[in-house]
Amino acid sequence: MTILELFCDVDDFCQTLPPFQFLLTRPALEEQARHSCPIRNRPTGLHLSEIMTILIAFHQSSYRQFKAYYTTEILKHGRVDFPKAPTYSRFVELMPRALLHLVIYLYRSFGACTGISFVDSTKLEVCRLKRMNTHRVFKENAALGKTSMGWFYGFKLHLICNDSGELLWVGLTPGNGDDRAALRECFQHDLFSLFGKLFADRGYISQALVTELLNEHHVALHTRLRKNMKCAEPVLSEDALFLRKRAIIESVIDQLKNISQIEHSRHRSPVNFMVNLVCGLIAYSRQ
């Protein structure tokens, strides 16, 4: 969609949530009051919907860095659409104000369950392993983890999508998080509903998890077997076919990383990291 169509959709969404408008345009005064420096609560010329539009539009563009996109497409060529756009440094300060709205907007962009779903996780590396001990931005949140491609330092993004590639659920854990524990946690949310069959890779193998999902949530979890495992029940030809269709969620992850730019090592704030991640997921969902 064009930037005008995107703004109209985002602005209509913001109009439905007036109670959050006042809260998101104020800083966290309780935390900032602890500092000795004076607190400034300057109003912004940009509406919240304009901030969200710029952030989502970046992930739909071909730019690799947000600074290059903002200084070129917004400050230079987009003055007609955003006449009150501030400087780049000021806009970076405004980005955390849109996080809550972006999360709700992402949930509204999720697809519907069709009975055939796929689950997988992917790494979000925040720095190289050589810089792991000196990394400060995510020192309290990131962790050392390992995938089939090797070791990394950062987070794990967990995804569930339907057979059309539409996102149904997303979750974020440290790099050493267990995929099975993240899948259990997603079923604890009241806003999440899934039915039918769920297909996963070997990282989700657990008889206890299969029994729990089937008895409590009526979801049948199917995974590939390891070479040293024996199947207690014969695998249906239909289930074996859908296990080979797991390339759907692999394609989703590829688009999120290479088109929506959800993974890079230039973050300087945990909050803006979440803003970048959520906007990338929204940009994919709005394709």
Side-chain angles (χ1 to χ4, degrees):
M1 60 174 61
T2 63
I3 194 169
L4 179 60
E5 295 173 340
L6 176 62
F7 171 76
C8 293
D9 186 70
V10 172
D11 189 63
D12 292 340
F13 165 76
C14 290
Q15 297 300 326
T16 62
L17 299 176
F20 298 99
Q21 194 72 19
F22 178 73
L23 297 176
L24 292 178
T25 53
R26 297 179 58 188
L29 297 179
E30 296 180 359
E31 296 182 0
Q32 295 181 357
R34 303 173 185 174
H35 301 278
S36 58
C37 58
I39 300 173
R40 301 181 64 186
N41 187 14
R42 294 188 299 166
T44 174
L46 285 180
H47 191 268
L48 186 62
S49 58
E50 294 179 295
I51 299 176
M52 295 173 60
T53 300
I54 294 174
L55 292 171
I56 299 173
F58 159 68
H59 292 276
Q60 294 179 340
S61 66
S62 59
Y63 282 83
R64 305 287 294 182
Q65 297 182 2
F66 179 73
K67 184 176 182 179
Y69 171 81
Y70 187 81
T71 55
T72 303
E73 297 296 331
I74 304 301
L75 296 182
K76 185 178 295 184
H77 304 302
R79 279 296 184 182
V80 178
D81 298 326
F82 304 97
K84 296 184 179 181
T87 61
Y88 169 75
S89 58
R90 174 59 177 165
F91 186 85
V92 173
E93 296 177 358
L94 300 177
M95 288 169 58
R97 301 186 180 189
L99 179 58
L100 182 57
H101 271 65
L102 288 170
V103 172
I104 302 175
Y105 188 76
L106 171 63
Y107 178 80
R108 200 196 69 163
S109 303
F110 284 164
C113 181
T114 60
I116 303 296
S117 307
F118 302 91
V119 60
D120 202 356
S121 64
T122 182
K123 66 180 180 68
L124 295 180
E125 197 170 7
V126 298
C127 72
R128 296 183 179 181
L129 290 178
K130 295 181 179 179
R131 296 182 56 247
M132 179 181 64
N133 295 327
T134 59
H135 188 78
R136 297 182 180 180
V137 179
F138 301 101
K139 184 178 180 181
E140 304 296 334
N141 308 108
L144 181 66
K146 186 179 182 181
T147 64
S148 58
M149 302 300 295
W151 293 92
F152 73 97
Y153 180 76
F155 301 91
K156 270 187 178 182
L157 179 66
H158 306 269
L159 303 170
I160 296 180
C161 71
N162 58 19
D163 54 348
S164 300
E166 297 175 332
L167 294 179
L168 303 179
W169 174 82
V170 294
L172 189 68
T173 61
N176 57 358
D178 189 357
D179 294 345
R180 294 164 294 187
L183 183 60
R184 281 192 178 96
E185 184 180 355
C186 82
F187 280 93
Q188 304 302 322
H189 299 284
D190 297 334
L191 297 178
F192 177 76
S193 73
L194 197 70
F195 61 90
K197 297 182 179 180
L198 181 64
F199 298 91
D201 59 8
R202 295 181 178 91
Y204 294 86
I205 293 178
S206 172
Q207 185 59 43
L209 179 60
V210 172
T211 305
E212 177 183 345
L213 295 183
L214 186 60
N215 295 338
E216 298 183 7
H217 306 285
H218 307 287
V219 175
L221 177 63
H222 298 276
T223 62
R224 290 183 178 274
L225 300 179
R226 295 192 179 99
K227 295 181 179 180
N228 58 350
M229 292 179 60
K230 294 182 179 180
C231 182
E233 299 180 0
V235 180
L236 300 179
S237 59
E238 180 184 358
D239 297 338
L241 174 64
F242 280 113
L243 282 173
R244 293 196 295 267
K245 294 297 183 179
R246 285 194 61 260
I248 294 176
I249 195 168
E250 299 292 348
S251 301
V252 172
I253 294 174
D254 179 72
Q255 291 191 43
L256 288 174
K257 287 191 171 183
N258 297 317
I259 298 179
S260 297
Q261 305 295 324
I262 65 170
E263 181 185 32
H264 64 78
S265 59
R266 300 182 298 274
H267 296 292
R268 297 298 176 263
S269 168
V271 179
N272 285 350
F273 162 75
M274 291 300 302
V275 171
N276 176 81
L277 175 61
V278 173
C279 289
L281 295 170
I282 292 174
Y284 169 79
S285 301
R286 302 299 297 176
Q287 290 183 12

